[in-house]
Amino acid sequence: MDVKIEAGWKAHLKTEFEKEYFSQLISFVKEEYNTQRIYPPGKLIFNAFDECPFDQLKVVILGQDPYHGPGQAHGLCFSVNDGIPFPPSLRNIFKELKEDVGKEIPKSGNLTDWAQQGVLLLNATLTVRAHQAGSHQKKGWEEFTDAAIQTASDQKEHLVFLLWGNYAISKRRLIDENKHLVLTSVHPSPLSASRGFFGNKHFSKTNDFLQQNGLQPIRW
């Protein structure tokens, strides 16, 4: 199957594209786009990979589902398009970022600049029906994104994985912690942020690790 995705990722994930589950997944997704309102726009399904080429990968941040409101999702976890109000979790991410590294809260919640510096902003599920959280879970996306995480762990060195919340932490089993730094905390959601997301200093810890291994830090 010819999947339109960044060339480096395409080369490393090519065996996934030939598997039966992926064929069934794509058939399901195409039917959903034809009959339902689905986010993100079809051309942005693999945006996390396209904006963060495999060869430039430094950091992985894991989310669960795309935003399911109008105009929000554009293929990067936690990120929203320019001009869209910050969802609560993203607002808390920016609060922690300000406390940790002193960066003022930006006007836009678009995190494309992070992606282009080597931050893979990966949702476990890459599509969702409008206003129906979790509607495309357990259709095959998780198998594909697990393979992407495992491939990154196997093929790269000195990555930082930021796992926020129990769902993201469950992916820890896919990561070789002898080669990579794994940082975990509760989710930045307002329901949990005050119980350990605030004060986790993951942004400065990420840059410290990258610099210790001769890599450019992220300009958060």
Side-chain angles (χ1 to χ4, degrees):
M1 181 178 294
D2 185 29
V3 177
K4 293 180 179 177
I5 190 171
E6 189 272 327
W9 285 105
K10 188 170 188 175
H12 284 286
L13 295 171
K14 60 186 177 185
T15 57
E16 296 302 308
F17 302 140
E18 304 307 321
K19 292 181 179 179
E20 180 65 21
Y21 88 85
F22 195 83
S23 177
Q24 293 175 355
L25 169 64
I26 295 304
S27 294
F28 165 77
V29 169
K30 284 181 177 177
E31 178 66 14
E32 286 284 286
Y33 273 93
N34 285 335
T35 60
Q36 307 287 333
R37 181 173 294 175
I38 304 300
Y39 300 126
K43 65 182 180 180
L44 296 178
I45 291 174
F46 296 108
N47 198 32
F49 301 96
D50 294 336
E51 294 289 1
C52 177
F54 188 84
D55 289 347
Q56 297 175 29
L57 179 63
K58 298 177 184 176
V59 181
V60 180
I61 299 178
L62 294 179
Q64 188 165 2
D65 247 15
Y67 296 123
H68 52 80
Q72 293 179 303
H74 64 130
L76 307 178
C77 74
F78 294 108
S79 180
V80 290
N81 282 304
D82 294 330
I84 299 293
F86 300 163
S89 292
L90 180 59
R91 183 172 297 281
N92 285 339
I93 288 169
F94 287 147
K95 285 180 181 178
E96 172 57 23
L97 188 57
K98 182 178 181 180
E99 285 297 311
D100 185 9
V101 301
K103 174 166 176 151
E104 289 303 316
I105 293 175
K107 290 184 171 58
S108 173
N110 190 326
L111 304 180
T112 299
D113 181 57
W114 293 8
Q116 293 173 345
Q117 294 178 70
V119 181
L120 180 67
L121 294 160
L122 183 64
N123 278 313
T125 303
L126 298 187
T127 54
V128 69
R129 278 190 188 184
H131 311 300
Q132 295 185 41
S135 49
H136 283 189
Q137 291 176 6
K138 299 183 172 63
K139 303 295 186 182
W141 278 131
E142 294 92 340
E143 187 168 348
F144 174 71
T145 53
D146 279 2
I149 296 165
Q150 181 102 53
T151 297
S153 175
D154 290 348
Q155 300 298 323
K156 305 285 283 189
E157 292 188 351
H158 311 311
L159 298 179
V160 182
F161 290 83
L162 304 183
L163 309 182
W164 300 333
N166 289 335
Y167 184 81
I169 292 169
S170 75
K171 305 297 183 179
R172 192 171 194 161
R173 59 190 165 77
L174 304 168
I175 302 164
D176 182 351
E177 295 188 52
N178 293 315
K179 295 197 296 178
H180 309 293
L181 176 64
V182 176
L183 297 174
T184 65
S185 80
V186 298
H187 196 274
S189 159
L191 297 174
S192 57
S194 61
R195 301 200 304 270
F197 182 79
F198 293 136
N200 67 23
K201 299 191 179 300
H202 280 187
F203 302 103
S204 59
K205 289 176 180 176
T206 293
N207 279 348
D208 288 347
F209 180 83
L210 293 175
Q211 290 178 295
Q212 288 164 12
N213 287 283
L215 299 168
Q216 282 289 321
I218 305 298
R219 299 183 310 279
W220 300 109

